[in-house]
């Protein structure tokens, strides 16, 4: 039986990474997976290690051989039932500088607010401005109820197929933006919020506590 190899790649394409991941989850060598898919082992090796776009029939054959879907191989939704942990997962804390750098890479996060009806978590479009997280909302909206209270804000990035990701949390008091401050933030915002309607009220969360974690594999 052919020796099972360690998967290493300088710059594999997205499809190639998923093919290699699923093959290894099934415990298949390249030769075994290629035989299932009806393709040459050399082509499968190339596909796993280089950006490539296999033909429709080839992709269908790979999906069937690897007991998954074409959508997943192309980076779509993770099929239900895939809950196993990564091999040798590592859980590490992020320092504050790393957390603040990651906060600046995204534009949508979640704010946790205590309302009259109980706790609520709401997605919001946000900016990082100085030591504050600023998001815009509308008076009367759930996220506007953060004003005057200590709240938690969170942003993350997760790739379920490769079992890695990070999460950053900010905790601090929320206040309304002043008129001049709100005008500046509106001018700096890259576009309108995703949600329709007038959302011209800015809320700023002071980042008193900034923590974060990363999950990855060796």
């Amino acid at each position: 039986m052919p020796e099972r190899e360690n998967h290493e790649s300088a710059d594999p394409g997205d499809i190639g990474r998923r093919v290699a991941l699923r093959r290894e989850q099934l415990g298949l060598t390249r030769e075994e997976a290629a035989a299932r898919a009806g393709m040459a082992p050399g082509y499968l090796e190339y596909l796993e290690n280089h950006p490539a776009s296999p033909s429709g029939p080839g992709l269908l054959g790979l999906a069937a051989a690897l007991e998954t879907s074409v959508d997943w191989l192309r980076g779509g939704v993770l099929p239900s039932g895939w809950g196993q942990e990564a091999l040798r997962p590592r859980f590490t804390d992020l320092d504050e500088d790393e957390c603040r750098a990651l906060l600046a890479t995204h534009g949508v996060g979640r704010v946790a607010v205590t309302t009259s009806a109980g706790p609520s978590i709401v997605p919001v479009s946000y900016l990082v401005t100085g030591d504050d997280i600023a998001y815009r909302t509308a008076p009367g909206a759930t996220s506007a109820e953060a004003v005057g209270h200590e709240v938690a804000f969170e942003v993350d990035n997760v790739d379920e197929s490769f079992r890695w990701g990070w999460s950053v949390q900010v905790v601090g008091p929320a206040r309304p933006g002043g008129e001049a401050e709100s005008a500046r933030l509106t001018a700096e915002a890259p576009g309108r919020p995703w949600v329709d309607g007038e959302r011209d009220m800015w809320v700023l969360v002071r980042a008193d506590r900034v923590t974060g974690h990363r999950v990855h594999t060796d």
Side-chain angles (χ1 to χ4, degrees):
M1 183 174 183
E3 182 180 354
R4 299 185 188 277
E5 72 284 347
N6 290 324
H7 173 63
E8 295 181 358
S9 173
D11 184 24
D14 197 47
I15 289 176
R17 287 198 299 268
R18 284 177 165 78
V19 168
L21 171 73
R22 184 58 179 152
R23 176 177 63 77
E24 290 165 2
Q25 286 176 334
L26 294 174
L28 299 173
T29 64
R30 285 202 183 102
E31 289 78 9
E32 291 166 340
R36 282 189 178 193
M39 63 176 53
Y43 177 70
L44 183 58
E45 180 178 9
Y46 178 86
L47 178 63
E48 289 186 355
N49 290 282
H50 299 84
S53 181
S55 65
L59 206 54
L60 282 170
L62 271 174
L66 299 174
E67 301 172 20
T68 185
S69 68
V70 170
D71 282 345
W72 185 80
L73 288 178
R74 285 176 170 162
V77 178
L78 187 71
S80 60
W82 285 27
Q84 67 266 37
E85 67 179 19
L87 296 175
R88 298 181 298 279
R90 295 179 59 199
F91 185 80
T92 57
D93 294 331
L94 299 172
D95 63 35
E96 186 167 337
D97 288 342
E98 291 176 301
C99 290
R100 291 184 182 276
L102 289 170
L103 281 169
T105 65
H106 281 51
V108 177
R110 289 171 288 277
V111 61
V113 182
T114 300
T115 72
S116 57
S120 183
I121 298 175
V122 185
V124 292
S125 301
Y126 76 93
L127 295 173
V128 177
T129 175
D131 290 332
D132 296 333
I133 301 296
Y135 65 86
R136 55 182 168 185
T137 183
T142 299
S143 53
E145 295 190 42
V147 171
H149 303 282
E150 185 175 63
V151 300
F153 175 86
E154 191 265 350
V155 63
D156 59 35
N157 187 27
V158 176
D159 188 320
E160 294 184 49
S161 60
F162 294 111
R163 305 296 194 270
W164 65 259
W166 54 261
S167 175
V168 173
Q169 302 82 40
V170 172
V171 176
R175 63 176 178 84
E179 184 176 348
E181 189 174 40
S182 295
R184 174 180 61 81
L185 291 169
T186 299
E188 292 178 0
R192 295 291 301 168
W194 289 359
V195 181
D196 291 337
E198 293 298 322
R199 311 186 81 79
D200 295 326
M201 174 185 176
W202 283 93
V203 176
L204 288 89
V205 179
R206 191 175 71 213
D208 284 351
R209 300 199 304 276
V210 182
T211 58
H213 308 88
R214 188 188 301 276
V215 177
H216 54 100
T217 57
D218 293 327

